[in-house]
Amino acid sequence: MPVSAAVTAIGLVVMWSSGFIGAELGTREAPADTLLMWRFLAAAAVLGGAWVLLRRRRLRPRAVAEQAVIGALSQGGYLGGIVWAVGLGVPSGTAALIAALQPLAAGALAGRLLGETVSPRQWAGLAIGLGGVALVVQSDLSAGPAAPAWAYGLPFAAMAALLAASFLERRARTPLDPMDAIPLHCLVSAVLFTGVAVAGGHAAPPAGGGFWAAVAWTVLLSTVGGYGFYWLSLRRNGVTRTSALIYLTPPTTLVWAYAMFGDAPGWTALAGMAVCVIGVTAATVRRRPDRSAQLAEDPVRDRAVSRVPAE
């Protein structure tokens, strides 16, 4: 894997996983819609202000319309479902497991919708990775339900929203650079969640500093870092490889939780982490082409080589 691709992959996994910790921190202080409203108001102000100062340029109306829909799905739909589920008591590991079904769905649809070839090795890697995720969150799944039954449908809806946004991004007729797209996504999400919070009577933020710390966490790490790396990876690596990296989210979230809250992972979770790494490696690492096979299959090149005089 080239260095740039490796950095993108590591950044995506680490920053995307931070979102589950941010949801836990924020929903301890306020309802989910309050956290999401102020998170995106802050993100839109920071990123929008930076865009105006550093990168101001005219965007085509079609590009704005496409990215508005993509942002509503990828941030409004995905984060709304995840944060709301965690706020209702769905364990973060269980939410991560459901969201990690995305790679299998992406692999099944990538060929039909995008023409991306999913090899047998990638399918095997996706299946292995899913098994590793199941091991990581086994304790969450075996515990008694902490949320109403319908709340467990929210991560499914979130996963479907992010998957739809990923496919729309890959098929966008006027794609934008992430530096242009992410501020627009945040603005759309700010409008969406402000409307939800105001309608629910939850717009006023709590006075405690813990809430604003959670907002800063989610803006800097989860929004700027997580979504920045996600769209960058999507452009460079495609839907299947990018989605496979989501399998590393639950085990990395355990590492975050240990660092933040002192929650030490058990042996089953550690074994699941190792299985996840194996699966993601199989699904994402490209094989080097066989040089001898390429030469044998290229008669034009063979003829050209045959005309070179021997030294």
Side-chain angles (χ1 to χ4, degrees):
M1 189 183 293
V3 174
S4 60
V7 171
T8 300
I10 293 170
L12 169 60
V13 171
V14 172
M15 295 301 177
W16 195 265
S17 302
S18 73
F20 292 93
I21 301 301
E24 181 73 22
L25 290 171
T27 54
R28 289 180 178 183
E29 305 288 337
D33 51 356
T34 307
L35 173 65
L36 290 166
M37 169 186 167
W38 288 101
R39 166 182 177 169
F40 283 109
L41 284 174
V46 171
L47 295 179
W51 184 87
V52 169
L53 291 175
L54 303 176
R55 199 179 173 84
R56 186 173 183 177
R57 65 190 182 95
R58 187 177 182 86
L59 301 178
R60 296 175 61 185
R62 184 184 184 89
V64 172
E66 288 179 339
Q67 293 301 322
V69 175
I70 291 170
L73 288 169
S74 65
Q75 295 191 356
Y78 178 76
L79 291 173
I82 294 295
V83 176
W84 191 10
V86 172
L88 289 171
V90 175
S92 59
T94 302
L97 172 64
I98 296 171
L101 295 174
Q102 180 195 347
L104 287 177
L109 296 174
R112 293 179 178 272
L113 298 181
L114 300 178
E116 292 185 9
T117 301
V118 184
S119 67
R121 180 171 60 88
Q122 287 180 305
W123 277 118
L126 293 175
I128 292 170
L130 183 60
V133 171
L135 286 174
V136 170
V137 299
Q138 184 180 24
S139 59
D140 279 345
L141 294 176
S142 61
W150 62 267
Y152 288 83
L154 294 173
F156 282 101
M159 179 268 292
L162 182 61
L163 186 61
S166 301
F167 282 112
L168 288 175
E169 167 64 23
R170 292 288 287 177
R171 300 197 64 167
R173 294 188 178 182
T174 51
L176 291 180
D177 186 272
M179 291 291 291
D180 296 315
I182 294 177
L184 181 57
H185 294 175
C186 291
L187 178 60
V188 171
S189 299
V191 173
L192 174 64
F193 288 120
T194 297
V196 172
V198 170
H202 299 150
F211 174 79
W212 296 110
V215 168
W217 175 287
T218 55
V219 169
L220 297 177
L221 298 182
S222 309
T223 299
V224 177
Y227 277 92
F229 280 114
Y230 184 84
W231 295 119
L232 182 61
S233 178
L234 200 65
R235 293 282 179 86
R236 291 183 176 181
N237 303 318
V239 171
T240 303
R241 287 186 172 87
T242 298
S243 296
L245 292 170
I246 301 299
Y247 276 147
L248 294 178
T249 298
T252 308
T253 301
L254 288 183
V255 176
W256 274 113
Y258 177 68
M260 296 291 297
F261 311 124
D263 298 334
W267 288 108
T268 301
L270 293 174
M273 292 183 190
V275 173
C276 283
V277 171
I278 293 171
V280 171
T281 300
T284 60
V285 175
R286 296 177 175 88
R287 288 182 176 177
R288 291 184 177 180
D290 189 335
R291 186 72 173 172
S292 61
Q294 283 186 334
L295 291 174
E297 293 173 0
D298 191 345
V300 174
R301 180 166 185 165
D302 287 345
R303 289 195 295 271
V305 172
S306 66
R307 288 196 292 268
V308 176
E311 294 181 358

